[in-house]
Amino acid sequence: MKVRRSRKGMVGVRLPEGEEEWLELAMRCGFRVKAMAAVLEVGERTLRRRFRREVKERLWEWLRRTRMEVGRRWLREGTFVKEVAGRLGYGSVSAFCRAYRRRWGRSPCEERERAR
């Protein structure tokens, strides 16, 4: 992580380096940009700009893709759909199921059953 310096030269929080550290931050913040920016003590726009510079992908696209990949992995490990939806920060199980079907072409329950 890089140490961020404010305009007055004070040392701030460290910014994540690499996708793994960004993923750890995103998971801690429930995949919410606003929460991530608050933890890093930067504005949302600054976060998006720095993320794109570091990862070479738009933050919202990365969050959407990564969220689904993590969810798929958890389902294949046997985690219940309701738990996966909650851990990924979805407001409801049905919202997660719709997003999952859109991304992978099958329901989370079908994915979980395939893994058995």
Side-chain angles (χ1 to χ4, degrees):
M1 288 188 173
K2 297 176 186 170
V3 176
R4 182 179 64 88
R5 297 191 182 272
S6 71
R7 290 181 184 160
K8 295 181 182 180
M10 296 174 61
V11 175
V13 296
R14 293 169 32 154
L15 293 177
E17 285 183 0
E19 279 199 58
E20 284 149 22
E21 288 186 11
W22 283 104
L23 176 59
E24 182 182 317
L25 173 66
M27 289 177 72
R28 274 195 338 239
C29 295
F31 291 88
R32 302 279 186 243
V33 174
K34 189 172 189 171
M36 292 169 68
V39 166
L40 296 174
E41 299 176 357
V42 297
E44 291 179 44
R45 178 135 169 77
T46 299
L47 173 63
R48 286 185 180 100
R49 195 173 45 249
R50 289 183 180 175
F51 180 87
R52 186 149 189 185
R53 188 181 323 136
E54 175 77 26
V55 181
K56 310 290 189 252
E57 186 175 0
R58 288 186 174 111
L59 180 57
W60 67 270
E61 291 171 341
W62 181 84
L63 284 171
R64 181 185 296 163
R65 178 181 53 80
T66 303
R67 207 174 178 194
M68 283 290 112
E69 289 170 358
V70 169
R72 187 179 207 186
R73 185 178 70 227
W74 287 341
L75 289 167
R76 288 180 173 179
E77 291 170 357
T79 309
F80 291 106
V81 175
K82 184 176 182 178
E83 184 180 345
V84 172
R87 287 170 65 184
L88 292 177
Y90 282 90
S92 68
V93 175
S94 62
F96 170 66
C97 290
R98 282 191 306 273
Y100 195 91
R101 184 178 292 279
R102 234 185 346 264
R103 171 73 173 150
W104 302 111
R106 60 183 159 275
S107 75
C109 292
E110 292 169 341
E111 187 72 57
R112 195 167 176 264
E113 289 299 316
R114 281 180 79 176
R116 290 183 183 198

